[in-house]
Each structure stands twice: as structure tokens, then as C-alpha cells.
Amino acid sequence: MKELIEKIKVEMDAFCKDADAQLVKGNKAAGTRARKSALELGKMMKEFRKVSIEASKK
């Protein structure tokens, strides 16, 4: 679970950096990377939910 949380933090940092670059500088490539990160974060959050529920049952 700890590894998953670290991966989420790293992906979130990448998302924030790219989203800001798109917003502030109008960088289209950064927007593409931000959208890709958003999809990956969604998958990781679903995985976190599963792991968190399993941990709470113990």
C-alpha cells in the first residue's frame, strides 16, 4: 500500500506540473501529458480503494 501511495504522489506531481504548463504557457504537449496522467491517476485511485478496503478488513 505504501508503494502505491508513493506512485500516486509522483503521478500527481507530474500531473500538476503539466497542467500548469498548459494553463500558464499554453503548452499543448503538456496538456496531452496531463490528460494521460489523469487517466493513470484514476486507475491508481481505484487500486488504492481496493487495497484500502482489504486493509480495513484485517
Side-chain angles (χ1 to χ4, degrees), residues 2-32:
K2 188 174 182 177
E3 292 174 14
L4 179 59
I5 292 171
E6 287 301 318
K7 287 181 183 180
I8 290 170
K9 287 179 184 178
V10 169
E11 195 67 38
M12 184 57 106
D13 289 341
F15 168 78
C16 290
K17 178 184 162 205
D18 289 331
D20 284 342
Q22 181 187 19
L23 182 64
V24 175
K25 299 177 185 176
N27 186 333
K28 291 182 181 180
T32 301

Side-chain angles (χ1 to χ4, degrees), residues 12-55:
M12 184 57 106
D13 289 341
F15 168 78
C16 290
K17 178 184 162 205
D18 289 331
D20 284 342
Q22 181 187 19
L23 182 64
V24 175
K25 299 177 185 176
N27 186 333
K28 291 182 181 180
T32 301
R33 289 190 301 272
R35 289 189 296 275
K36 184 177 177 184
S37 288
L39 286 173
E40 194 62 35
L41 280 167
K43 292 175 187 176
M44 287 185 203
M45 291 299 183
K46 288 178 183 177
E47 181 65 26
F48 173 78
R49 185 171 186 273
K50 289 178 188 176
V51 171
S52 177
I53 289 171
E54 287 176 18

